[in-house]
Amino acid sequence: MHKPNLLLLLGFGATGLSQHGIQVPPQAQVIDQRSFNSLQIVAAPSVADGFAQFVPPGTTLKRLLARPFHVYDEDFLEIIGPNPTLTLLNHTASDPIFHEAPVWYPAKDEMFFVQNAGARAAGTGLAKSATIQKISLSAITPAIASQRNASGSVKVEVLDSYPTVMNPNGGTNFRGQLLFLGEGQGESIAPAMYLMDPQPPYNTTVLLDNFFGRQFNSLSDVSINPRNGELYFTDPTYGYLQDFRPTPGMPRQVWRFNEATGVVRVAADGFNMPNGITFSPTGSHVYITDTGMTQAFYGTNFTSPSTIYQYDVNEDGTLVNRKPFAFVTPGVPDGIHVDTKGNVYVGCGDGVQVYSPSGKLLGKIYVGNAVPNFQFAGLGRMVILAETELYYATLAAEGAFPGALYYPPDAEG
Ligand SMILES: *[C@@H]1O[C@H](CO)[C@@H](O)[C@H](O)[C@H]1NC(C)=O
Ligand SMILES: *[C@@H]1O[C@H](CO)[C@@H](O)[C@H](O)[C@H]1NC(C)=O
Ligand SMILES: *[C@@H]1O[C@H](CO)[C@@H](O)[C@H](O)[C@H]1NC(C)=O
Ligand SMILES: *[C@@H]1O[C@H](CO)[C@@H](O)[C@H](O)[C@H]1NC(C)=O
């Protein structure tokens, strides 16, 4: 039977109860792409560029922000459930301290995340390393989560690690501990993969910092193949493009690391700037973002990728059948994660965009600003990092954490 088309039923920007009884939650609105397929006057590429926020005719930025769950496809209603919420938890005037590497620590229900490693506004770069921070999710009561703006109601704690994770930018849960990727600093501090004890004093162990003696460029993001437990990670050149790493000495590619055997090898190449990476829940696919459109301090190139690529993952862990999964706008597809049903969530220039497993835009959690990364905290909760803004969202979907609890078959315990 043909499913009724929600967008036809509701029309653009509709809220409340549709005439056919489909409830659109109070914090959600339907956006009908047909309302702007033909604009008649379309701004020049220099104006409507890859970073421009698009406000469809008939609405305003204020109205887009007022109901931040944007429904592009009725399947999004299942993802957000009957009463999704979005709450501002903290903000800064200009310091981009809510940046990357969000890692949930379920045992204490804490979310760790890191400051921007190469932002002039953050004072980071050669002068100081980005810092790890955390919030307690159990401190976010339903009363806090029901507010749109609860800024200051949850403590943001700044942590030291020993030895220091230098310019962390990526992270994941790994066998009950936290794994961070550091971008390195200058010529003498190599990018590295660190395992961090999630308890104070946050001791760290370096698992990997070279390929046969050669430094990586500036490690960015990591995901675990749930079938073999190997760590797959990206290595773009943003450390160099943000003036805190030397001239790159490696191709911009994706690597895989078997921590048990020590084997490190290339997994994929052909990227401009490989950045976010996640396996699908079963490990049959991997999604890798290419943020080549932005070259940091060296400007932008709007003919370069702003694209999520999908690969099939062979049983032996090799990646094949690369295809473009989604081209995104505005901004670049940065941090990427999946829910337990295989839907794909990606931090973009206007918030978190949500795609079906076949690459169709289902909806957005719209914040009107770039979201470098975000993370599920199990079922129905998400923390969103928007540089100067820290958000908490509740929804129906459950985050998947592929490979986080993988132990080698011969490991003890
Ligand atoms: C949120 O509340 C804080 C503190 O009350 C205020 O400074 C800030 O401007 C508000 N932000 C927004 C986006 O409303
Ligand atoms: C952000 O968090 C810090 C640390 O908990 C707090 O001191 C500050 O007041 C908060 N700022 C806002 C605007 O929420
Ligand atoms: C953490 O490192 C410090 C300094 O090296 C050491 O004194 C301490 O025993 C370590 N703690 C744990 C739990 O490993
Ligand atoms: C922009 O990127 C394209 C494709 O990646 C490349 O061919 C072109 O030379 C770049 N343009 C500039 C100005 O760098």
Side-chain angles (χ1 to χ4, degrees), residues 88 90-91 148-152 389 391:
L88 181 65
N90 197 298
H91 69 278
R148 280 303 301 279
N149 184 356
S151 204
E389 289 156 3
Y391 289 95

Side-chain angles (χ1 to χ4, degrees), residues 296-321:
F297 296 171
Y298 290 71
T300 49
N301 182 340
F302 294 120
T303 68
S304 290
S306 178
T307 308
I308 304 165
Y309 293 94
Q310 183 197 56
Y311 293 79
D312 297 337
V313 184
N314 285 333
E315 281 301 326
D316 66 3
T318 52
L319 309 184
V320 293
N321 299 333

